[in-house]
Amino acid sequence: MTGMGEPFRVSDLLDTLIRLEERGSAFYEDLAARTKSERARALFEELSREEREHEALYSALKKEFGDGAPPDSDRIRHLDTLIRQSFAFEEFRPILKDSDKAWEQAIDFAIQLEKNTAAYVREIRSILRTEAPEVFEAILAEEERHLRMLADYKNEAGF
């Protein structure tokens, strides 16, 4: 495990992205399970599936460029702290009642999540520079497509 003061390795950065995609996928799965709207369910299921695809891409990159070892439980707790500081999943209150306001807040949170993820991916891409630029470009394109999907849904839902 990387101690305090030691630089993050490529595998550390990719582990963080893997954990972020795991948490994003779980977030969208939860929204899909809670909504009564078939359209919203399809959107959230698609987003969850694509987050899992991103997780698989980052796992493959880790095998190629990282040390390949899965993070231990201390590493996972550290990465979760890093993600919490950057992405504030805990700030989102689960939807307790099926109201337009609650769903608008969920969509707004999802939009912010995608924006923050794209910014984080850009930052890691700049650190890794020459490592798999085509993968990072493809994932950024998908994150931006996710933003458009969510914004379109929000506009069409009248939020």
Side-chain angles (χ1 to χ4, degrees):
M1 181 159 113
T2 302
M4 297 301 282
E6 292 179 43
F8 268 65
R9 302 171 314 224
V10 169
S11 60
D12 295 320
L13 298 171
L14 293 170
D15 281 340
T16 303
L17 286 170
I18 290 165
R19 292 292 292 157
L20 176 59
E21 297 296 346
E22 287 172 354
R23 294 197 59 187
S25 177
F27 170 72
Y28 288 128
E29 282 177 17
D30 182 58
L31 292 183
R34 290 172 182 266
T35 187
K36 293 182 173 81
S37 162
E38 286 301 319
R39 185 165 174 265
R41 183 174 297 107
L43 171 66
F44 297 138
E45 286 173 348
E46 180 178 358
L47 290 169
S48 178
R49 179 181 45 73
E50 290 184 3
E51 299 299 305
R52 286 191 306 273
E53 290 172 4
H54 295 173
E55 179 187 339
L57 278 171
Y58 293 136
S59 293
L61 279 180
K62 182 180 175 189
K63 285 182 183 139
E64 186 175 347
F65 298 113
D67 57 18
D72 61 27
S73 59
D74 286 340
R75 165 72 63 213
I76 289 172
R77 280 193 296 279
H78 176 73
L79 295 173
D80 282 342
T81 299
L82 196 62
I83 290 167
R84 267 197 311 279
Q85 289 169 347
S86 299
F87 295 91
F89 281 94
E90 287 75 15
E91 286 183 17
F92 179 75
R93 302 289 175 250
I95 294 170
L96 301 175
K97 59 183 182 185
D98 190 18
S99 69
D100 284 348
K101 184 67 177 167
W103 285 104
E104 181 179 6
Q105 289 170 342
I107 296 295
D108 286 345
F109 184 86
I111 287 170
Q112 194 59 50
L113 174 66
E114 295 295 338
K115 285 180 180 177
N116 289 348
T117 300
Y120 198 74
V121 170
R122 280 187 197 92
E123 185 65 26
I124 290 179
R125 179 187 62 182
S126 75
I127 292 167
L128 300 182
R129 282 192 193 97
T130 61
E131 311 292 350
E134 68 287 346
V135 173
F136 286 100
E137 288 306 314
I139 288 175
L140 279 171
E142 282 194 19
E143 298 297 348
E144 290 175 11
R145 189 175 60 79
H146 291 179
L147 273 170
R148 286 191 304 277
M149 290 167 62
L150 288 161
D152 289 348
Y153 179 83
K154 182 177 177 174
N155 289 337
E156 290 168 17
F159 294 140

